[in-house]
Amino acid sequence: MEGRGGYNSRSAVQAAGASPALPRLEQAALDVPLSEGAGPIVVADYGASQGRNSLIPMAIAVQTLRQRLGSGRAISVVHTDLAENDFSALFELLNDDPGSYLKLDQGAFASAIGRSFYEQILPDDSVTLGWCAWSVQWLSRTPVAIPDHVQVAYSKDDATRAAFAAQAADDWLVFLKHRRRELRPGGRLVIITMAQTDDGDFGYGSVLTAMYDALQELVTEGVVRQEEAARMAIPTVGRTRAEFAAPFTSGELSGLELEDIEIFEGDDAIWRDFLADGNATAFGARWAAFSRASVLPTLARDLSEGTSAERVRDFMDRMEAGMAARLAAGPKPNLIPLAIIVVAAAIQADPGPQAV
């Protein structure tokens, strides 16, 4: 993600997309069993980025749990993301924003862990409630180069698509296995992520076409070398309903239950605003800014080793401008397939008195 607070200022698409999952998070906070004793209740924010889109979900989680706990017990909110995440922007936001749960609840405490959620990052049986928004679409690695695009969903190469599908299946299972260990019995995890429609549409068609065409123009102009462009890929996937459910039906996740899954079309607020004001320039600029904050830094990493910060900024600036111009020239709505998934750690039955 773009650092220095860039993601916070350009992630309105993600914020709008996560809104339908908030009632599920509130219900999960009402349903989870609360451990006895005086220790803190742990809420995990898996994939916090720079925090802007965690403010409302974490405030809902904290306030709902507080209603059940009363005033005397601490709530520990643990934000997780990769080590290179801009955690400074996260903590500045938590400390300064009036909507921060730290401002709303004096018994809430914030911490962060800089590690991948494709490994265990919290102790066994420690998490009461988890939230993961716009994160599990990111793969743990790029399995192969994409020969004809930057997003595998728009590649026509069958072998490439198969390699990404296999990586996506492995990563989803690994993610869930670690969360199974971390969740307390009865704990809930609410996930919202990119998806595919039941007929296999990943969406974002005009945005990704503009991105690939802008990159190819930079190759033609000599700004980006062909071998650099060939390495550039966005390691994200949209899974289908069946792919999300597969680990739960295969018997590989004993102790973790799939409570609910919903595939739906997210709100294209940028298109709605264009229909209202007819401002094509603003339409293109907003989608280009979204792309700059979310995925262009990933492409920039595949510039040659030793690339200067100035060259990275020039690449980002040119890509953003090229995308904005293309999108403004022919505004179109973008399909935004999303999934809400609720999983729960099983509560072990009381075995009763044991024979001696």
Side-chain angles (χ1 to χ4, degrees), residues 138-217:
W138 288 94
L139 299 180
S140 62
R141 67 185 186 95
T142 303
V144 294
I146 304 173
D148 53 351
H149 213 282
V150 292
Q151 166 52 244
V152 69
Y154 289 92
S155 172
K156 294 181 173 59
D157 187 83
D158 290 341
T160 299
R161 294 173 67 92
F164 270 77
Q167 186 68 51
D170 288 347
D171 282 351
W172 179 230
L173 178 60
V174 167
F175 172 85
L176 292 169
K177 283 183 173 180
H178 290 308
R179 306 298 80 78
R180 178 184 60 184
R181 294 184 64 93
E182 293 169 355
L183 283 171
R184 293 181 53 80
R188 302 295 199 280
L189 170 62
V190 179
I191 301 164
I192 183 160
T193 183
M194 288 179 170
Q196 288 187 40
T197 63
D198 289 338
D199 59 1
D201 194 338
F202 177 76
Y204 306 93
S206 66
V207 174
L208 289 164
T209 296
M211 187 181 301
Y212 186 66
D213 290 349
L215 176 60
Q216 295 309 304
E217 182 177 54

Side-chain angles (χ1 to χ4, degrees), residues 1 15 43 53 57 95 99 107 114 132 142 149 155 161 173 192 203 225 236-237 261 273 283 309 327 339-340 346 354:
M1 303 300 175
V43 178
N53 293 332
N95 287 330
C132 183
T142 303
H149 213 282
S155 172
R161 294 173 67 92
L173 178 60
I192 183 160
R225 292 189 282 277
T236 58
V237 295
I261 179 170
D273 288 346
F283 172 87
L327 291 163
I340 298 173
Q354 300 297 303

Side-chain angles (χ1 to χ4, degrees), residues 160-308:
T160 299
R161 294 173 67 92
F164 270 77
Q167 186 68 51
D170 288 347
D171 282 351
W172 179 230
L173 178 60
V174 167
F175 172 85
L176 292 169
K177 283 183 173 180
H178 290 308
R179 306 298 80 78
R180 178 184 60 184
R181 294 184 64 93
E182 293 169 355
L183 283 171
R184 293 181 53 80
R188 302 295 199 280
L189 170 62
V190 179
I191 301 164
I192 183 160
T193 183
M194 288 179 170
Q196 288 187 40
T197 63
D198 289 338
D199 59 1
D201 194 338
F202 177 76
Y204 306 93
S206 66
V207 174
L208 289 164
T209 296
M211 187 181 301
Y212 186 66
D213 290 349
L215 176 60
Q216 295 309 304
E217 182 177 54
L218 294 187
V219 173
T220 300
E221 294 174 348
V223 175
V224 174
R225 292 189 282 277
Q226 182 61 54
E227 62 271 20
E228 293 174 322
R231 292 193 294 265
M232 292 182 181
I234 306 168
T236 58
V237 295
R239 298 175 178 89
T240 63
R241 185 187 308 271
E243 288 168 337
F244 282 122
F248 298 93
T249 58
S250 66
E252 297 177 278
L253 282 175
S254 175
L256 195 67
E257 301 168 352
L258 178 61
E259 283 202 337
D260 193 21
I261 179 170
E262 177 187 358
I263 307 292
F264 66 101
E265 183 175 341
D267 178 29
D268 185 353
I270 296 176
W271 176 250
R272 279 196 295 105
D273 288 346
F274 170 72
L275 291 178
D277 62 24
N279 189 333
T281 299
F283 172 87
R286 288 179 66 189
W287 271 116
F290 158 81
S291 301
R292 178 176 185 136
S294 58
V295 299
L296 293 188
T298 299
L299 301 186
R301 289 181 180 180
D302 286 316
L303 295 170
S304 296
E305 186 176 353
T307 291
S308 66

Side-chain angles (χ1 to χ4, degrees), residues 27 42 57 64 69 81 103 127 131 150 153 165 177 188 236 285:
Q27 188 60 52
V42 176
T64 305
L69 290 168
D81 214 301
K103 301 286 188 182
V127 176
W131 168 257
V150 292
K177 283 183 173 180
R188 302 295 199 280
T236 58

